[in-house]
Amino acid sequence: MVGLILTTFDWVPEMVRGNVRDLRVRWALEEAGLPYRVESAPFGDRKAEHFTHQPFGQVPWLTDRDISIFESGAILLHLGNQSDALMPADPRGRSEAVEWLFAALNSVEMASLPWALLQFTGDTGDTPAWQRFDKFLKGRLQHMEPILAAREWLAGTFSVADILMADVLRVVGRFDGLAEYPACRNYVARATARPAFVKALADQMAHFAAAD
Ligand SMILES: N[C@@H](CCC(=O)N[C@@H](CS)C(=O)NCC(=O)O)C(=O)O
């Protein structure tokens, strides 16, 4: 019996395919070699049961037998506790992985998300909102650049922190926002060259294409 079930939408618009957050979870599961199954929840008509797993009606969520977890960061921490492939073994390394996981979400994605939303909607003209969010993101990237130039992975060895940071930066790269940040770009390139990422991305694309 497969204990881990990842739920994502049954369909999403083409523009966001490849960037739906179930990818982070697929990537972690593939890195760890943990057996799992993917299930779908309707994108259009979100049922009451969906909200019992994800209170905002979003995806992803993971069920691990009788535990149901939402928030991609929380899911990755849960999986990190199950596999040495996802977390350094030593206490210092684990602590670094946890702090960088939160930094990816709460310091970098906090800036990249509004920026990416404006990119997705093509709202990148000379407006105060665009200028503000572009500056906000560049402030974060400027500080990530020397950090990623100095190390291969954030917590010494590859970890869940890298899955989140690389996935967050990847969306910025999709809209050419890493052009002035070669270390960030190289970091995304080495993370996304990993076979586990390549499989996770292909699986997500196939999942949504099957619904067309
Ligand atoms: N903080 C949440 C964000 C989840 C999220 O934004 N999910 C998107 C897909 S990537 C979603 O469900 N969007 C549909 C919606 O918000 O209605 C996490 O990291 O899991």
Side-chain angles (χ1 to χ4, degrees):
M1 190 189 113
V2 175
L4 295 168
I5 302 171
L6 166 64
T7 304
T8 187
F9 287 126
D10 54 355
W11 175 92
V12 293
E14 214 161 321
M15 186 196 285
V16 298
R17 294 179 190 180
N19 290 111
V20 181
R21 285 174 177 76
D22 67 80
L23 190 134
R24 300 168 176 185
V25 184
R26 291 176 186 269
W27 186 356
L29 289 161
E30 293 294 335
E31 290 281 355
L34 292 165
Y36 65 100
R37 187 171 86 229
V38 176
E39 289 190 351
S40 296
F43 175 78
D45 180 19
R46 299 180 199 177
K47 310 275 186 230
E49 207 232 329
H50 185 146
F51 291 84
T52 66
H53 292 283
Q54 217 291 1
F56 308 106
Q58 297 182 308
V59 298
W61 74 83
L62 181 83
T63 56
D64 183 353
R65 284 152 296 205
D66 59 342
I67 302 173
S68 181
I69 316 158
F70 69 97
E71 280 297 332
S72 55
I75 298 170
L76 263 58
L77 278 177
H78 180 82
L79 294 175
N81 288 330
Q82 297 185 16
S83 169
D84 289 349
L86 297 174
M87 275 287 200
D90 62 299
R92 185 183 299 274
R94 292 181 87 81
S95 160
E96 281 180 8
V98 171
E99 78 188 354
W100 279 112
L101 175 141
F102 279 98
L105 295 173
N106 207 35
S107 296
V108 183
E109 191 169 49
M110 179 189 272
S112 67
L113 188 60
W115 185 93
L117 287 175
L118 292 176
Q119 289 281 6
F120 274 117
T121 53
D123 197 1
T124 54
D126 195 17
T127 63
W130 170 251
Q131 309 257 323
R132 190 173 310 120
F133 287 122
D134 194 46
K135 189 166 169 222
F136 185 27
L137 176 62
K138 282 179 175 152
R140 293 291 192 259
L141 295 177
Q142 183 188 314
H143 292 292
M144 285 311 298
E145 185 66 9
I147 290 163
L148 294 174
R151 55 181 100 170
E152 185 181 21
W153 304 118
L154 288 167
T157 55
F158 182 85
S159 72
V160 284
D162 297 299
I163 292 179
L164 279 170
M165 188 66 83
D167 195 44
V168 166
L169 293 177
R170 196 169 67 87
V171 184
V172 180
R174 173 176 169 169
F175 295 106
D176 211 22
L178 299 179
E180 292 162 33
Y181 305 94
C184 292
R185 248 184 6 252
N186 291 339
Y187 171 73
V188 172
R190 65 180 171 271
T192 58
R194 295 174 72 86
F197 172 84
V198 174
K199 179 166 189 314
L201 179 62
D203 287 354
Q204 179 178 105
M205 297 307 281
H207 175 91
F208 293 128
D212 284 336

